[in-house]
Amino acid sequence: MIGYIAGKITLVSSDYCFVEAYGIGYRVFMSSSGISRLERGQETKLFTYTNVREDAILLFGFLNYEEYELFIKLISVSGVGPKVALGLLSATTPDVFRLAVINQDLKMLTKLPGVGKKTAERLLLELRDKLGFPGDAPAPVSMGVAVLPAGGGARDEAVQALLALGYDSSEIMPALKKLPDGDMAAAEIIKHVLKGFAGR
C-alpha cells in the first residue's frame, strides 16, 4: 500500500488532482476542502489510501494525517465506502465530526451527504469508542483548522461552520445566547452548541 506521495501538482479537478512523483503521475481523489488548497505547480505531500476494486485501483489523498486517520475509521463502519467517507470530509472537519459523535448528535450526522438515519446510528455506535474520550474527560479544542474561513471573529467562524453542517440560523442564534460568559474560541462555541442540540 502507498502510504504517502510527495511531488508536484500537475492538474487540479473538482474532486481529484494529479501528483507527479519521479516521472509518474498519480490521480488522487480528495475532499473538496483539500482540493481547494491545491494549486498547479505546487509541491505537496499527500497521505494516501489505496482502494482496490475488481474494476479499478483508486487512490484517496489527504493533506494531513488527522483527516487520513478519520477517513480510515469512517470506512471501517458498515455501509460507509471511500466515496461516502470523502463526502463527509468535504462537508465537515474532523474536529466537528468528532464532537458530533461524542455528543451523540444524530441530527447533525443525518444532514451530512450520503448519511441516512441507519448509517448515522452505525457511525455513532461504531465510532463512539474510537473517537471519544474515556470517562467524562472533555474533548481537546483545536478547531482552528483548514476549512473554517478566516474573518469576523470566533462567533462568526462558528456560525459559518454550523450553517455548513445544515443547521438553520433560527436554531443557531438562540443557542449562541445560552453560551457561558467570556471569550471563547470557535471550537469551544461549536462544542457547546452541538452539545445543546444533542440534549434537545
Side-chain angles (χ1 to χ4, degrees), residues 91 111 148 155-173 190 197:
K111 292 184 177 181
L148 290 180
R155 287 207 173 208
D156 287 347
E157 288 186 2
V159 169
Q160 290 171 17
L162 291 164
L163 288 171
L165 292 174
Y167 290 103
D168 297 327
S169 58
S170 60
E171 298 176 287
I172 297 170
M173 295 310 170
I190 293 169
F197 288 163

Side-chain angles (χ1 to χ4, degrees), residues 49 51 60 71 74-88:
Y49 170 79
N51 178 230
F60 295 85
F71 177 87
L74 285 171
I75 62 175
S76 73
V77 176
S78 175
V80 178
K83 288 294 180 70
V84 171
L86 208 61
L88 296 180

